[in-house]
Amino acid sequence: MLTPASEQAERIATLTNYFFVAAAAILLVVTLLTIIFLVKYRAKPGDNTLPPKIFRSRKAELFIVGIPLALVSFFFVLTLRDMRALEPGADTQHPDVIITGHQWWWQADYPGTGVVAANEIHLPVGRKVLMRLRSADVIHDWWVPELGNKMDLIPGRSNHLWLTIRKPGVYEGACSEFCGQQHAWMRIRVVAQTESEYKAWLAAHAAPAIAPAGELAQRGATVFQEKTCGNCHRIAGTEAKGDAGPDLTHLSSRKTLLAGLMDNTAPNLGRWLNHPQQIKPGAYMPDFLLKPSEREALVAYLVQLK
Amino acid sequence: MMKQWTHIPEPEEQLPDAATERGLLMWLSSVDHKQLGIMYLLASLLFFLLGGLLVLFMRTQLAIAENDFLSPEVYNQFFTMHGTTMIFFVLTPAFLGMGVYLVPLMIGANEMAFPRLNAFSFWMALFGGLLLYFSFLTEGAPDAGWFNYAPLNESNYSTEGIHYYCMGLLLGGIGTVGTAINLIVTILHMRVPGMGYRQMPLFVWMMLVTAFLILAAFPSLNAALAMLLLDRLLHAHFFVTANGGSALLWQHLFWLFGHPEVYILILPAFGIFSEVFQVFSRKPIFGYGFVVASGIAIALLAFGVWVHHMFTTGLGNTVNAFFAASSLLIGVPTGVKIFNWLGTMYKGSIRLSVSMLFAVAFLIEFTIGGLSGISFAIVPIDWQLTDSYYVVAHLHFVFVGGSLFGVFSGLFYWFPKMSGRMLSERLGRWFFWLFVIGFNLTFLIQHVLGMMGMPRRVYTYPQLPYFTLFNFLSTAGAFIMALAVLTLLYNIWRSLRKGEPAGADPWDAYTLEWHAAAPPLLKNFERLPPVRSARPLFDLKHPEQADWKKQEG
């Protein structure tokens, strides 16, 4: 929120600045009065005269109610104005992307394109984007501080969020509503791209997975089938059509593994497949007790999925 | 011209007799409000040490990025237990304990209205807390956060500990409601003749308002807990969306209780500070009626603000606007009290005892906590900052800088009355400065961490710029606070053994409890001075300048 990069985040940042100025002024007054009174009215040793009694003062009471009332009324008006601007409603519009929260990763569906992504969410800059937010299990919360407001993903409800990203870049966020054991590793990477780059990305990701090249990778594809990985994961263009875990069609195009837990490299992928519960305890990925040769083949297959 | 001494009747029921003291058994079987008050405070201290220990583990885990000192499983149980403990079994019993100890003394009564209910309530609260901790011996302690959101609190997503959470809070809640009823009846019926509502000490006023808040707020929590138990044990589906339940229903029920609970934990502190500011400024409170009225206003508004905990659940602009307005509005009666206390210091003769030091520090810390609270009423700011470390900072400024400072201030103020011995002011100043420095070091920086994007309730965080530095400072502050608490414990231990005898009225104070012996005898009062103002002992000591003369004249 300190470096706003969307129209919405800028609006909130401006409002926050107004608020901080008012808050700082109030804090200053209270602190100064406290210190001045402490210094000025500190009892002198041995002085036993009774200070004057002041039971009340109508004038002062008018002041100490009037000023805060005026201030909160001012901020209430700003609240109404900005709330309407940030949340104009979304009854009929089709979303650009549907985000589904899972324990502990993000699924992104791009309606009309067939593209399914996970954890790295690509969005276009310069235009208003509508996101639909849903949950597959417990409550999660979308928060990318540089891009503006949070919104909860609640099972049984469908929420939405408007975003107008100003400039291309990578913006980090995280799930912000406690969602269980691995809440800390449910991070978001928003990749904001120009419209043409975004279109190109969509086109590339609409394509099915490339066929495994080389003997090792081909063996890996077989392992993938035999170990029933496809019950939970989808790889477009193959038998694997599961939707409980992240889509792996273009796994290698992603920067990180496990929603931000580690870099997406072949050795890391191997470590994860070896002992999932040591890398991300609580995750729904079972330990398949892969033989080293099987693991090696599987990694070779997966790193090719660009 | 002086009125006759007021005769206080002997309680009709036989009370346990200190003359035939049988040690522990006398405490266990006691229905004496003073012993029960002290037991409440000791229970609160026990849970404070437990809850504090948990947080030292948590802060150690968070000291550096991607630490693996605690597993996520354990961390999540610890932070859940920390919050639940501090709210329900530390602050609540601390204020109820002060209430049952002091209210009868301050209104010139010899007992609470229902001594046995008093004992029952205390033991329910204690066993509720112990039951909660028993969960550590099972599959796992509760691990869904102190507000325990659905559907994460359902059995397929969380540990068995949630059963103990439900049962522990239900038991504690029964105790809390029992004490609330007891306080209300005591305050309404047992005041010494002459003490009308305008002569009641402000601490008593705030306990009265708090007790009504408890009566109105706890049913909502109890209903939610019962529904959750039905869900978990009998496969009901109040909060299971797949079967037509509602996840948001839990939030509504919980916060309809939860936000008033915040005021349940701050109004008694307001009462304590109102006494402390008067006595150590040697002046009557500035705006007595104003303090009372704003307390009542807070209590009424408290039931219309709960949705500000739910601004990001997508309830729509209309609902959000209503609750933004009410939440902004409740800031006004809370804020004006700061000026009542400042006005009390104005032109006073201020004695900076440890008790007063905490009161003065509270003015500033609570202003920070109150202002950051206002930022959550401004919906768009809430949308950025809620559920981040900014909230963690905010709520600790309110609960520690507000409520806990109130407990500390009250402890240093009333300890001589309860024990008959003074706490060391020198050790107390060490405690004060260590605690205040540690507290600010821990929590000021967390506002910034929240704004930088650190969500709350994470067991670890990636290596992002400044995250480790700021978290490390925060952890250092937590350990300074722990050190401070050790000096407090030593102070209490030392004082009980060889503290300076206090005498009945060491602070030259104003309210009736200082007329009783220190510590008070089993029967608090044989006779009392006439009560014609809110400061009967002031009137007694300064008959020429008595408050009631000015008021009536």
Side-chain angles (χ1 to χ4, degrees):
Chain A
M1 106 169 261
L2 298 172
T3 47
S6 77
E7 202 182 296
Q8 289 77 9
E10 281 166 12
R11 187 173 274 280
I12 296 176
T14 310
L15 181 61
T16 309
N17 288 342
Y18 290 163
F19 170 74
F20 279 157
V21 169
I26 294 171
L27 183 60
L28 193 70
V29 169
V30 171
T31 310
L32 279 181
L33 285 178
T34 307
I35 293 171
I36 291 170
F37 288 0
L38 272 186
V39 173
K40 201 164 168 199
Y41 303 120
R42 183 88 183 264
K44 289 162 197 67
D47 182 8
N48 270 329
T49 50
L50 278 179
K53 300 179 191 178
I54 309 169
F55 285 102
R56 63 180 302 181
S57 151
R58 278 191 196 285
K59 216 192 278 173
E61 283 171 3
L62 216 60
F63 248 102
I64 60 181
V65 177
I67 292 174
L69 261 183
L71 269 175
V72 298
S73 306
F74 171 69
F75 278 102
F76 183 59
V77 173
L78 292 187
T79 299
L80 290 184
R81 187 197 68 181
D82 283 355
M83 210 161 58
R84 283 172 65 126
L86 293 163
E87 193 347 50
D91 298 331
T92 54
Q93 290 94 328
H94 292 292
D96 297 273
V97 58
I98 300 170
I99 307 282
T100 309
H102 296 260
Q103 281 184 321
W104 293 275
W105 59 283
W106 306 89
Q107 178 184 337
D109 293 80
Y110 294 79
T113 66
V115 174
V116 186
N119 300 330
E120 261 183 40
I121 288 134
H122 289 246
L123 292 172
V125 299
R127 71 175 163 97
K128 216 169 176 186
V129 175
L130 178 61
M131 305 170 60
R132 278 249 157 246
L133 302 167
R134 293 179 183 150
S135 168
D137 35 53
V138 300
I139 300 179
H140 304 279
D141 182 85
W142 169 275
W143 187 34
V144 184
E146 287 161 290
L147 299 185
N149 38 325
K150 299 186 170 62
M151 184 50 81
D152 285 355
L153 297 80
I154 302 172
R157 280 177 73 89
S158 170
N159 281 334
H160 67 264
L161 190 66
W162 289 101
L163 256 186
T164 318
I165 306 175
R166 292 275 199 216
K167 47 184 186 289
V170 176
Y171 303 107
E172 284 233 20
C175 176
S176 201
E177 184 66 77
F178 180 65
C179 58
Q181 202 168 335
Q182 286 294 345
H183 166 59
W185 290 117
M186 188 166 165
R187 299 195 59 88
I188 309 167
R189 270 170 70 84
V190 171
V191 181
Q193 295 169 305
T194 60
E195 192 71 36
S196 58
E197 281 173 346
Y198 174 67
K199 285 267 157 58
W201 178 84
L202 273 182
H205 279 244
I210 53 170
E215 197 212 341
L216 194 61
Q218 276 163 4
R219 222 172 64 226
T222 318
V223 173
F224 193 89
Q225 290 291 334
E226 283 172 0
K227 294 290 175 184
T228 66
C229 304
N231 284 354
C232 292
H233 295 283
R234 173 173 170 268
I235 297 180
T238 74
E239 295 291 304
K241 292 199 166 50
D243 60 1
D247 185 287
L248 303 177
T249 311
H250 302 281
L251 175 66
S252 276
S253 70
R254 305 207 272 264
K255 175 95 178 13
T256 68
L257 287 174
L258 309 173
L261 183 77
M262 54 192 187
D263 288 334
N264 188 0
T265 61
N268 277 345
L269 197 54
R271 279 173 54 216
W272 163 245
L273 291 172
N274 195 19
H275 283 304
Q277 294 305 319
Q278 282 176 14
I279 307 288
K280 196 171 181 178
Y284 289 97
M285 171 90 167
D287 188 343
F288 282 92
L289 305 172
L290 299 168
K291 293 194 202 76
S293 61
E294 291 173 328
R295 196 170 70 236
E296 200 186 337
L298 203 50
V299 170
Y301 171 53
L302 291 173
V303 295
Q304 285 193 357
L305 299 174
K306 294 227 186 289
Chain B
M1 136 198 154
M2 175 126 17
K3 214 177 133 188
Q4 287 293 303
W5 294 98
T6 309
H7 177 71
I8 306 299
E10 192 71 43
E12 284 176 24
E13 313 255 351
Q14 184 64 44
L15 295 171
D17 189 355
T20 61
E21 183 192 344
R22 286 187 302 267
L24 195 59
L25 189 61
M26 186 190 74
W27 286 86
L28 291 180
S29 62
S30 176
V31 293
D32 171 44
H33 76 97
K34 298 177 290 295
Q35 285 184 318
L36 285 165
I38 288 170
M39 286 195 279
Y40 256 124
L41 290 171
L42 288 175
S44 169
L45 179 65
L46 167 73
F47 288 115
F48 177 65
L49 296 177
L50 287 172
L53 197 63
L54 292 177
V55 94
L56 289 183
F57 280 103
M58 287 157 59
R59 278 313 323 174
T60 306
Q61 161 69 14
L62 291 176
I64 53 170
E66 304 193 22
N67 197 1
D68 57 3
F69 173 70
L70 293 182
S71 74
E73 227 178 330
V74 170
Y75 183 89
N76 293 342
Q77 293 176 15
F78 278 15
F79 87 70
T80 301
M81 287 297 280
H82 168 72
T84 312
T85 303
M86 291 300 190
I87 304 256
F88 292 99
F89 299 105
V90 175
L91 290 176
T92 307
F95 288 130
L96 292 181
M98 288 194 171
V100 301
Y101 191 101
L102 291 163
V103 162
L105 283 162
M106 291 176 102
I107 62 172
N110 276 334
E111 234 324 323
M112 293 284 284
F114 309 114
R116 286 186 184 78
L117 175 65
N118 202 9
F120 171 78
S121 303
F122 162 73
W123 290 105
M124 289 300 267
L126 177 66
F127 281 116
L130 293 177
L131 189 62
L132 181 69
Y133 270 82
F134 191 76
S135 65
F136 273 115
L137 303 178
T138 69
E139 174 201 301
D143 60 350
W146 82 270
F147 46 77
N148 199 37
Y149 271 0
L152 191 65
N153 58 14
E154 294 285 351
S155 36
N156 48 334
Y157 295 118
S158 46
T159 61
E160 247 177 48
I162 306 281
H163 295 142
Y164 292 83
Y165 170 94
C166 292
M167 296 304 294
L169 294 198
L170 277 168
L171 288 185
I174 291 169
T176 306
V177 169
T179 300
I181 294 171
N182 213 343
L183 284 168
I184 291 173
V185 178
T186 306
I187 296 169
L188 294 187
H189 280 278
M190 297 176 66
R191 296 193 310 277
V192 65
M195 186 182 281
Y197 291 108
R198 286 168 174 279
Q199 287 80 39
M200 251 159 56
L202 284 167
F203 176 74
V204 177
W205 252 117
M206 291 303 125
M207 287 310 297
L208 181 65
V209 176
T210 302
F212 276 109
L213 267 174
I214 289 172
L215 284 194
F218 270 72
S220 182
L221 173 70
N222 292 342
L225 292 170
M227 288 156 87
L228 180 58
L229 273 180
L230 289 176
D231 267 16
R232 291 180 61 102
L233 295 172
L234 301 175
H235 304 289
H237 38 253
F238 288 106
F239 309 117
V240 184
T241 31
N243 300 336
S246 162
L248 277 190
L249 177 62
W250 171 272
Q251 296 191 21
H252 284 293
L253 288 171
F254 191 89
W255 290 120
L256 181 57
F257 149 79
H259 205 79
E261 170 72 6
V262 173
Y263 294 102
I264 290 170
L265 298 181
I266 197 67
L267 287 176
F270 287 176
I272 293 169
F273 290 127
S274 296
E275 304 298 335
V276 167
F277 275 114
Q278 297 187 70
V279 168
F280 294 104
S281 305
R282 293 166 64 90
K283 275 181 65 200
I285 190 87
F286 173 67
Y288 176 95
F290 213 68
V291 174
V292 173
S294 56
I296 295 171
I298 288 172
L300 295 177
L301 284 170
F303 288 96
V305 296
W306 80 92
V307 168
H308 72 225
H309 295 270
M310 302 167 62
F311 280 153
T312 56
T313 57
L315 294 175
N317 285 348
T318 316
V319 173
N320 289 351
F322 176 88
F323 284 93
S326 61
S327 306
L328 284 166
L329 208 56
I330 203 169
V332 176
T334 314
V336 296
K337 283 182 192 273
I338 298 282
F339 291 94
N340 287 110
W341 295 313
L342 279 172
T344 308
M345 285 164 70
Y346 175 65
K347 289 194 173 170
S349 171
I350 297 170
R351 291 173 292 168
L352 270 181
S353 65
V354 175
S355 184
M356 184 66 171
L357 279 175
F358 271 110
V360 171
F362 152 84
L363 281 183
I364 294 165
E365 311 287 17
F366 188 75
T367 303
I368 296 174
L371 288 168
S372 61
I374 294 282
S375 55
F376 297 113
I378 302 170
V379 180
I381 302 182
D382 175 278
W383 280 342
Q384 262 289 14
L385 292 176
T386 189
D387 284 322
S388 75
Y389 256 77
Y390 187 90
V391 179
V392 178
H394 157 69
L395 72 91
H396 283 94
F397 265 88
V398 175
F399 283 138
V400 179
S403 308
L404 193 61
F405 278 24
V407 175
F408 290 153
S409 180
L411 183 69
F412 275 84
Y413 181 55
W414 280 303
F415 186 87
K417 176 59 47 180
M418 295 179 179
S419 69
R421 291 172 184 276
M422 305 296 287
L423 284 169
S424 156
E425 287 282 306
R426 192 178 56 85
L427 277 171
R429 272 193 290 277
W430 271 99
F431 166 59
F432 170 79
W433 284 110
L434 280 174
F435 199 87
V436 168
I437 289 168
F439 167 69
N440 284 288
L441 184 60
T442 305
F443 294 109
L444 272 178
I445 202 91
Q446 291 186 357
H447 291 104
V448 184
L449 273 170
M451 285 191 270
M452 284 164 53
M454 182 160 166
R456 70 191 290 196
R457 302 178 155 184
V458 287
Y459 75 90
T460 191
Y461 48 89
Q463 282 164 353
L464 296 167
Y466 298 110
F467 268 49
T468 296
L469 174 66
F470 289 178
N471 273 296
F472 191 83
L473 288 175
S474 191
T475 299
F479 279 91
I480 295 176
M481 275 193 278
L483 185 65
V485 170
L486 289 182
T487 69
L488 175 67
L489 293 179
Y490 173 69
N491 197 351
I492 293 174
W493 178 78
R494 184 189 156 280
S495 164
L496 289 175
R497 283 164 50 95
K498 51 178 183 184
E500 188 192 328
D505 185 13
W507 308 120
D508 187 17
Y510 304 140
T511 38
L512 292 178
E513 77 271 28
W514 302 103
H515 194 70
L521 304 175
L522 186 58
K523 187 182 174 192
N524 295 340
F525 304 108
E526 291 295 338
R527 53 183 202 169
L528 280 168
V531 178
R532 301 182 68 175
S533 77
R535 297 198 297 167
L537 293 199
F538 178 88
D539 297 348
L540 183 71
K541 292 177 224 174
H542 308 277
E544 295 310 314
Q545 301 166 58
D547 284 355
W548 55 268
K549 285 185 173 169
K550 197 158 194 172
Q551 277 169 341
E552 285 171 9

